[in-house]
Every structure is written in structure tokens, then in C-alpha cells.
């Protein structure tokens, strides 16, 4: 099943011929109600109900809508692939979201070199803002800061007048507006970037309720597979027989049976510590100390520090690192105890 990637088109004319014209809703609240019925949740990692975000923004003064194409997650490539092959589906969703909330401004926030196609269908002009190549630059509050001309630093706060939507979420909005909530519930897929111990790394479209081993089968998993990191660097280690409850950022990194799960985790935690914006104690001091504890296999210290940084940062970056570390303790306990 590839209902999203099969909508690919080279230009706007081919897009319209394949997918139909941009389905303006015109009736206030129509799109928000359809999204609620469809049960669409965000595909950028937070998994928050999309309709709630639109409804909240729609009642503010001079709302702003932002397409978030910044893919700071090193193991993810889904947004780049989607925007390269289906940009018009993404832009349809952006226009429809802007219509639904009565946007005063519309932005596309993406990596350097992102090209925003000029389209005759659009009613809302799109302003492109370049995203820096950092892990935290795609966090929603950092995106809001960037479009206002400030440094893209994440904060543990949100603004109701700014709607930030991942580009995959916007593409799904466009499909729900075209085909309806019932169609979407029958074609509820997500894009997964699969890498690591697989023969065919790449981006795959899979059912929302999928077993980990299905991802490995698609990408040609190399046996034996010890574990798979699902959800990205803020994700959790799962076993091949587990079912994915929350795909997070849509990332799956397969770990071969001969690899050290603890060593892999230590490298990721060290990277995440280097990517903090150093706005608070948990990031400035807690994450480097946590990286040291993981590298030294100091289980009591790692567990203690994970508890100290979790929920205490200026943003949710420390929470994600703590989640990864706790997951490694469950998945690789024998390595921790050597």
C-alpha cells in the first residue's frame, strides 16, 4: 500500500491530472471536522491530533501557518523524499491549512537549497525560511522563533497563533480533503526511513500498526537482528517481534546481532549532548554527564541522571535523551551489567 508516494508528480499540471485540483473547502470548520473524523495525528514525532492544532489556531488573531520540512534527525530522510517527489501534495495541504485557520502569513521552513514551486492554484503566498542543519532546529518552538527572525532555539512553550505542521502531515491533510476521512482510515500509513543492518536502506510506506520485523523484511534485514531503534534518536529500542505503537519521527535503525547496543546508544547520546542549545542546566550539564555515564557503563549513574534531566529542561530535548537511555537499559541489560 503506497497511497502517499504513489501521488508523486513532476509538476503542478501532472499533479492535478493525477490527484485532482486543489480541494478548497470554503465552509468554515469543514476541514477541521474532517481531520477529527479521520483521526490524523502529526507525523513529525509528537503524534498530536492534527485537528486540535488547527482548531486552536483558528480562533486566534492573525494566525500564521508553517510547513516544517526541517529534518534535523540524522537517521531520517522521509521528508526530503516526500518533498522531492510529492511537493504539490504538501503545498496543497499547506494551502488548505491556511484556509482553515484564516492565515495572515504562510511559511515553508526547510533545509538550505529547498525550492518552493510557484503554483497557479495557490491563494496564500509562501515565504521560504532556511532551517539550520541542527538536531533541535525542527522542534516546533524553534521553528516559530526562526520565522520571526530569531535564533531557532526550542522552548518549552507554544504559541496558539502559530500552526507548525510537518510536511508529511500536510500531505495527509490534502488527501483527506480530497478523498474523505473514511478513505484515510483505510489507507492510514506512515513513511519510515529504514537503515542500519539492512540490505536496502531507504524510505518505505507502511501501515500504522506494523510489526518491527515487517520493516526489516521490506528493507532486507541482515540476520540476526538484535534490536531496532524506532522513532529516531529520541526513540526506543524494540525487538523484531514487537509491534510499533508510536513511530515517532518515522525512523527505524536495525542493529545486527554482532553489534553492541550499548556502544551504539553511547554514540547517539554523545551526539545528542553536542546538539543541545545549552539554555538550561539539564542540557548544559546533565546531558554530557549522562553521555559519560553511558560510555562508562555506569548503570546507577545513568539511571539517576536520566531521572534528573527528564521533564526539567527548557524544551523536550532532555526528555528524549532520557527515554533513549532508559530504553537501552531494558534492551541491553546484559551489556550494562558486564
Amino acid at each position: 500500500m503506497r497511497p502517499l508516494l504513489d501521488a508523486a508528480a513532476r509538476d503542478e499540471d501532472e499533479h492535478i491530472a493525477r490527484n485532482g485540483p486543489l480541494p478548497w473547502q470554503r465552509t468554515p470548520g469543514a476541514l477541521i471536522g474532517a481531520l477529527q473524523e479521520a483521526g490524523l495525528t502529526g507525523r513529525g514525532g509528537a503524534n498530536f491530533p492534527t485537528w486540535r492544532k488547527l482548531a486552536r489556531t483558528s480562533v486566534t488573531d492573525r494566525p500564521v501557518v508553517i510547513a516544517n520540512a526541517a529534518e534535523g534527525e540524522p537517521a531520517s530522510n522521509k521528508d526530503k523524499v516526500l518533498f522531492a517527489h510529492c511537493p504539490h501534495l504538501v503545498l496543497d495541504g499547506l494551502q488548505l491549512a491556511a484556509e482553515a485557520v484564516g492565515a495572515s502569513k504562510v511559511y515553508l521552513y526547510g533545509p538550505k537549497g529547498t525550492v518552493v514551486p510557484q503554483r497557479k492554484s495557490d491563494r496564500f503566498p509562501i515565504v521560504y525560511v532556511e532551517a539550520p542543519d541542527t538536531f533541535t532546529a525542527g522542534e516546533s518552538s524553534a521553528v516559530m522563533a526562526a520565522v520571526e527572525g530569531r535564533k531557532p532555539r526550542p522552548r518549552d512553550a507554544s504559541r496558539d497563533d502559530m500552526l507548525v505542521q510537518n510536511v508529511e502531515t500536510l500531505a495527509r491533510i490534502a488527501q483527506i480533503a480530497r478523498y474523505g476521512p473514511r478513505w484515510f482510515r483505510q489507507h492510514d500509513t506512515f513513511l519510515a526511513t529504514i537503515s542500519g543492518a539492512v540490505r536496502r536502506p531507504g524510505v518505505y510506506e507502511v501501515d500504522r500498526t506494523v510489526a518491527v520485523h515487517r520493516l526489516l523484511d521490506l528493507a532486507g534485514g541482515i540476520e540476526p537482528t538484535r534490536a531496532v531503534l524506532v522513532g529516531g534518536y529520541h526513540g526506543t529500542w524494540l525487538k523484531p517481534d514487537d509491534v510499533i505503537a508510536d513511530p515517532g519521527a518515522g525512523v527505524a535503525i536495525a542493529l545486527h546481532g554482532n553489534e553492541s547496543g550499548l556502544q551504539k546508544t553511547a554514540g547517539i547520546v554523545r551526539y545528542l549532548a553536542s546538539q543541545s542549545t545549552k539554555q538550561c542546566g539539564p542540557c548544559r550539564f546533565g546531558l554530557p554527564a549522562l553521555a559519560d555515564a553511558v560510555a562508562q557503563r555506569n548503570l546507577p549513574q545513568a539511571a539517576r541522571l536520566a531521572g534528573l534531566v527528564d521533564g526539567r529542561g527548557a524544551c523536550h530535548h532532555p526528555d528524549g535523551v532520557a527515554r533513549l537511555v532508559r530504553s537501552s537499559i531494558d534492551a541491553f541489560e546484559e551489556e550494562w551489567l558486564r
Side-chain angles (χ1 to χ4, degrees), residues 156 280 282 287 305-323 326:
D156 189 14
C280 61
L287 295 190
L305 288 169
L308 287 175
V309 303
D310 196 4
R312 292 180 171 86
C315 68
H316 296 297
H317 183 53
D319 308 354
V321 182
R323 178 168 51 249
R326 291 191 181 109

Side-chain angles (χ1 to χ4, degrees), residues 66-68 70 109 136-148 152 164:
I66 309 164
N68 185 7
Y109 178 73
T136 58
E139 196 274 339
S140 60
S141 61
V143 175
M144 295 176 188
V147 301
E148 291 185 317
V164 180

Side-chain angles (χ1 to χ4, degrees), residues 49-72:
T50 303
W51 76 270
R52 289 186 183 276
K53 294 180 70 173
L54 270 73
R56 183 178 61 196
T57 305
S58 68
V59 296
T60 62
D61 293 328
R62 300 185 62 76
V64 173
V65 177
I66 309 164
N68 185 7
E71 204 162 21

Side-chain angles (χ1 to χ4, degrees), residues 183-239:
W183 176 92
F184 176 77
R185 290 196 301 270
Q186 295 172 347
H187 300 84
D188 188 3
T189 59
F190 73 95
L191 297 180
T193 308
I194 308 174
S195 63
V198 295
R199 294 180 177 85
R200 297 181 298 276
V203 175
Y204 295 84
E205 188 168 359
V206 296
D207 291 332
R208 285 283 285 179
T209 54
V210 64
V212 175
H213 68 78
R214 172 60 178 155
L215 300 182
L216 299 176
D217 291 343
L218 284 171
I222 300 172
E223 295 291 344
T225 301
R226 185 176 184 190
V228 179
L229 180 58
V230 173
Y233 281 13
H234 279 173
T236 56
W237 289 104
L238 299 179
K239 297 299 183 183

Side-chain angles (χ1 to χ4, degrees), residues 14-26:
E14 182 180 341
H15 167 70
I16 293 173
R18 173 170 292 183
N19 301 292
L22 206 163
W24 296 108
Q25 300 296 282
R26 295 182 175 83

